[in-house]
Amino acid sequence: MTKRPTRKTGVRGTPAPNCNLRKLETMKRVVIVGRGASGKSTLARRLGDVTGLPVIEVDKIFWRPGLIATPRDQWVVMQEKLVAGDRWIMDGDLGPYDAVEVRLRAADTILFLDFSLVRCAWRAIRRLREGADFWRWLLAYRYQSRPILRAAIANHAPNAVLHVFRGPKALDRFVADASGVMRDVR
C-alpha cells in the first residue's frame, strides 16, 4: 500500500519540502514592509549579512532634515533609480507618504511584518523618539495602511514571493532557514 501525501507532510511522517525556502536561493530584490517599529531595518541588516545583498533604508533617503517628506513625484524618481540595481534589500513603509508601488513592481520577494499593535507600540516606546504623526499611523495601521498595502502588493507584485510574518519567532525561523540555504548555495 502506498502512502498518500498529506497537506503538512510529503509521505506520511516526513516533512514536506518548503518550496518557499528553495525560492530563497533566487532572492535578489527584496522589499520589507510593515507597521512602524516592527523591526524592518533590523531584519534588512540581518538578511543583508546572510545574503550579501546591499541594504537600502528608505527612511534615511525619504526624510529630509527636520523630518520633511520628499515630494511624491521626486520620491518616485528617486526610487526608480534605486530599483534599477540587480540586487538589493529595501526596507521601509512610509505609510501615507509612500509610493511603494515602485518598489513592489521591482521586487522578487516581499517580506511583510504584520506584527501586533502592542508589540510595535512597545518597541516604539523603547525608541523614545517618535512624534504624533508616527503614533497616529501606528494606531491606524491595521485598518488604514494595511489594506492599502495588501492591495498594492496584489496589484503591483503579483509574481513576487510574499512572506507574511505575524511574530518574531516565525521571522527568526525564516532568517535561520535563509542563512542555511545561503550557506549551502555559497
Side-chain angles (χ1 to χ4, degrees):
M1 174 180 189
T2 15
K3 295 181 179 183
R4 292 186 349 219
T6 62
R7 188 170 230 191
K8 293 184 181 176
T9 61
V11 174
R12 283 197 185 135
T14 60
N18 186 335
C19 60
N20 285 333
L21 288 180
R22 278 185 259 135
K23 291 178 182 177
L24 287 176
E25 296 173 13
T26 60
M27 186 169 68
K28 302 282 187 252
R29 302 170 115 200
V30 182
V31 170
I32 303 173
V33 293
R35 188 188 306 248
S38 59
K40 297 178 294 292
S41 298
T42 301
L43 173 60
R45 286 188 297 274
R46 288 174 66 194
L47 275 181
D49 290 345
V50 166
T51 63
L53 296 172
V55 174
I56 302 167
E57 264 187 80
V58 297
D59 280 351
K60 290 183 176 177
I61 299 166
F62 177 79
W63 294 107
R64 295 176 176 189
L67 282 179
I68 306 297
T70 297
R72 183 178 175 83
D73 57 337
Q74 291 177 22
W75 181 230
V76 168
V77 170
M78 290 168 75
Q79 285 185 94
E80 287 170 347
K81 290 176 184 173
L82 293 171
V83 301
D86 292 336
R87 304 177 42 184
W88 42 258
I89 298 171
M90 286 191 207
D91 81 275
D93 188 335
L94 302 167
Y97 300 101
D98 213 347
V100 70
E101 63 276 5
V102 176
R103 298 191 305 278
L104 294 176
R105 280 193 297 265
D108 59 44
T109 307
I110 300 166
L111 307 179
F112 187 178
L113 306 188
D114 196 15
F115 293 178
S116 72
L117 169 61
V118 172
R119 180 174 305 282
C120 295
W122 174 247
R123 288 178 173 179
I125 289 168
R126 292 188 333 197
R127 293 197 313 205
L128 296 174
R129 64 171 194 245
E130 307 301 349
D133 282 349
F134 173 85
W135 284 102
R136 278 191 288 280
W137 174 59
L138 188 76
L139 292 169
Y141 188 85
R142 176 136 339 258
Y143 302 104
Q144 290 180 1
S145 296
R146 184 177 179 262
I148 293 168
L149 184 57
R150 296 290 300 230
I153 291 168
N155 291 331
H156 300 289
N159 298 319
V161 177
L162 172 63
H163 299 273
V164 177
F165 300 98
R166 305 252 190 267
K169 286 182 184 176
L171 189 58
D172 288 343
R173 280 192 303 273
F174 175 82
V175 172
D177 290 343
S179 180
V181 167
M182 298 315 287
R183 193 172 36 251
D184 293 343
V185 170
R186 291 180 186 162

